[in-house]
Amino acid sequence: TDISAQIVREAELRNQAQQDPLTGVYNRAGVELINARLEQISRGVLFMLDLDDFKSINDNFGHAAGDKLLMAVGHILNETFRTDDIVARVGGDEFVVFLSGSDNVKLAEQKGQELLDRVRELRIEGIDAVASVSVGAARAPAHGRNYGALSVVADKALYQVKNGGKGGFALL
């Protein structure tokens, strides 16, 4: 009996279960993938991103406009990082990215700045405002060897940016 169609369907269902339907990036399943990657490759950078004032965008321009912004940010993340890096939407307007294989500070800062610039340059139909993102990052193994430890440090860096006026990047 040929079961190739069943195998393809199971793979499709597995991908759907791991994918955020709005942005096309991983959903919270990305966290497990990051942990698995960290077991294989001990070096990397975890970026945590939060869209600044996203609630006011939804309130002032509508949820459809907010959805367009989220989709655009997902697209930017996929373009900015390599296909083997892990991009996930872990909350309403929160994303994480794991840049695997390098904990180079200069590269992390370059990627962080590129994200800030690309989001700032976004123009979304229906949003008469400049979008911005706050980004915090942590390096493995210096700041931890699993998602939990890295996310604590990256979150601290993110809130350092938020408290300093938003729209910036910090790597502790």
Side-chain angles (χ1 to χ4, degrees):
T1 306
D2 184 9
I3 62 166
S4 58
Q6 181 180 346
I7 292 171
V8 168
R9 180 68 180 139
E10 286 175 7
E12 288 173 355
L13 289 172
R14 196 170 25 259
N15 286 340
Q16 287 175 2
Q18 293 180 332
Q19 192 176 51
D20 175 51
L22 182 65
T23 62
V25 302
Y26 286 110
N27 58 22
R28 289 202 57 82
V31 170
E32 296 168 23
L33 297 171
I34 292 169
N35 275 325
R37 181 73 50 88
L38 280 163
E39 287 179 14
Q40 299 169 339
I41 302 170
S42 62
R43 296 200 177 285
V45 179
L46 179 71
F47 295 84
M48 293 190 97
L49 298 83
D50 186 70
L51 287 166
D52 298 324
D53 304 315
F54 184 69
K55 183 180 179 333
S56 70
I57 288 172
N58 272 338
D59 291 347
N60 294 323
F61 304 106
H63 288 276
D67 287 351
K68 286 180 189 176
L69 178 58
L70 290 170
M71 288 186 285
V73 169
H75 183 73
I76 286 171
L77 293 171
N78 280 330
E79 284 186 340
T80 302
F81 291 90
R82 303 167 302 186
T83 55
D84 62 332
D85 294 329
I86 300 167
V87 177
R89 180 175 172 213
V90 294
D93 64 334
E94 298 169 356
F95 293 84
V96 295
V97 179
F98 185 68
L99 175 83
S100 59
S102 174
D103 62 346
N104 182 287
V105 171
K106 243 184 177 36
L107 177 62
E109 290 173 345
Q110 175 189 357
K111 290 292 185 182
Q113 190 59 51
E114 185 177 349
L115 288 173
L116 296 176
D117 294 342
R118 292 200 59 197
V119 170
R120 213 174 281 125
E121 292 167 1
L122 265 178
R123 296 299 171 260
I124 305 292
E125 184 180 334
I127 300 178
D128 187 25
V130 175
S132 71
V133 65
S134 294
V135 183
R139 295 179 301 122
H143 298 125
R145 297 181 181 274
N146 60 47
Y147 178 84
L150 292 172
S151 67
V152 167
V153 175
D155 193 52
K156 185 176 179 182
L158 172 66
Y159 278 91
Q160 187 177 61
V161 170
K162 289 277 193 186
N163 292 332
K166 302 179 184 174
F169 171 76
L171 173 64
L172 297 182

